[in-house]
Amino acid sequence: MPITPKTPEVRVPRLVGLMAMDARETAARQGVALAAPDRPDFHRTVIDYVVRQYPLPGAEIPRGAVVTVWFDLGEGEGGGGAGVREPRLPIPPPGGLRRELDEPGDTFELLR
């Protein structure tokens, strides 16, 4: 069943990846309200990106219902885990291939 502007239910738009101001505009056009528990100043937030939302995109909810969005990844969700990885300690020993291969010498040494 197609959802028209006169139906009491709307589909939740995809907000993940949008900046805060774009998420607010998209939600308003779709007929839903937004809440951001990790941003008390959400109405002034501009360039932070939405990283999670509930309900998920495409779900049918009553017009005017609240969609919750988060801007920071929660504990254990991968927030900032990449970090700087160099230099590795302990530093690998020098040598590379030279260290692994025998020194060049007589090619027929093994046959003798």
Side-chain angles (χ1 to χ4, degrees), residues 55-93:
L56 297 175
E60 290 185 14
I61 59 174
R63 185 174 302 281
V66 175
V67 174
T68 305
V69 294
W70 290 268
F71 294 93
D72 290 329
L73 292 175
E75 191 67 34
E77 292 182 329
V84 177
R85 300 195 176 189
E86 296 295 335
R88 295 179 298 202
L89 296 176
I91 296 173

Side-chain angles (χ1 to χ4, degrees), residues 39-105:
R39 290 287 190 278
D41 58 344
F42 174 62
H43 63 282
R44 289 183 284 159
T45 305
V46 177
I47 59 171
D48 290 342
Y49 287 88
V50 176
V51 296
R52 195 170 43 153
Q53 76 178 69
Y54 184 81
L56 297 175
E60 290 185 14
I61 59 174
R63 185 174 302 281
V66 175
V67 174
T68 305
V69 294
W70 290 268
F71 294 93
D72 290 329
L73 292 175
E75 191 67 34
E77 292 182 329
V84 177
R85 300 195 176 189
E86 296 295 335
R88 295 179 298 202
L89 296 176
I91 296 173
L97 289 177
R98 182 176 189 84
R99 185 165 185 252
E100 295 178 18
L101 299 175
D102 292 334
E103 292 295 322

